Amino acid sequence: MRAKDPDVETIRCVFRNSSLGTVLIAMSDSGVCALLMGDDEEILANDLRRRFRNAKLSFQKSVDPLSDAVLALIDAPTAPVTFPIDLRGTPFQERVWAALREIPGGQTATYADIARAIGAPTATRAVAGACGANPLAVAIPCHRVLRSDGTLSGYRWGVDKKRALLAREGVDTP
DNA sequence: TATTCCTGTCCTG
DNA sequence: CAGGACAGGAATA
């Protein structure tokens, strides 16, 4: 019983195989709070622990229907997000992520565009940092953000996945 | 072309 | 607590 400290929340986690490789889906009581990609489960788990230092991670084998919806989104990234999202970040990050979610599927924006959209036109570099800190791959379309010169620049989970997602949305990349 | 500054976070010493 | 590193970009020399 002392296992349930009221201060420690439990996050349910599950590994799934997606069309982009292994993904780690994490869910709180409020919704999906993390979607990490990568083929090394240990690295993903450590990444998740680093993001939620104060939470207890409960890894599960059983398939949660919520994670099915997440997988479907990876296959069809332009589809609307149909599952609840539990987003946590600094006020600045949340502004950036909100702006990202307004980029329509199949379209792209630049880091400078996002900076202008949130009212911090000179903070383009900080915007890039917020994109990299984005815990919800695909659901928050940081892959639609390109450099001003049109190049892909970088991606937290690998430029190849960024290119794959954009190709899936019908965007031609250099 | 090469510096320099701007900006928010995170990591390291 | 200070300094450096980032998925950028505009301004200056």
Side-chain angles (χ1 to χ4, degrees), chain A residues 9-14 16 23-36 48 51-52 64-74 81-89 97 101 134-140:
Chain A
E9 86 172 312
T10 296
I11 292 177
R12 302 183 303 283
C13 317
V14 63
R16 300 287 305 263
V23 296
L24 173 52
I25 300 168
M27 295 155 283
S28 73
D29 289 335
S30 308
V32 179
C33 57
L35 170 47
L36 312 179
L48 193 62
R51 291 171 185 271
F52 300 92
D64 190 304
L66 214 48
S67 67
D68 282 333
V70 176
L71 280 193
L73 183 69
I74 293 174
V81 175
T82 58
F83 46 86
I85 282 177
D86 180 11
L87 213 43
R88 307 168 193 203
W97 299 337
R101 298 186 64 185
N134 162 32
L136 282 173
V138 189
I140 294 175

Side-chain angles (χ1 to χ4, degrees), chain A residues 17-71:
Chain A
N17 269 322
S18 78
S19 50
L20 288 181
T22 304
V23 296
L24 173 52
I25 300 168
M27 295 155 283
S28 73
D29 289 335
S30 308
V32 179
C33 57
L35 170 47
L36 312 179
M37 298 190 286
D39 293 316
D40 188 322
E41 297 193 354
E42 197 164 331
I43 290 176
L44 292 182
N46 286 334
D47 192 348
L48 193 62
R49 270 188 277 270
R50 181 175 52 77
R51 291 171 185 271
F52 300 92
R53 291 187 198 282
N54 300 320
K56 176 177 196 261
L57 305 186
S58 166
F59 287 86
Q60 320 196 317
K61 290 284 185 185
S62 63
V63 169
D64 190 304
L66 214 48
S67 67
D68 282 333
V70 176
L71 280 193

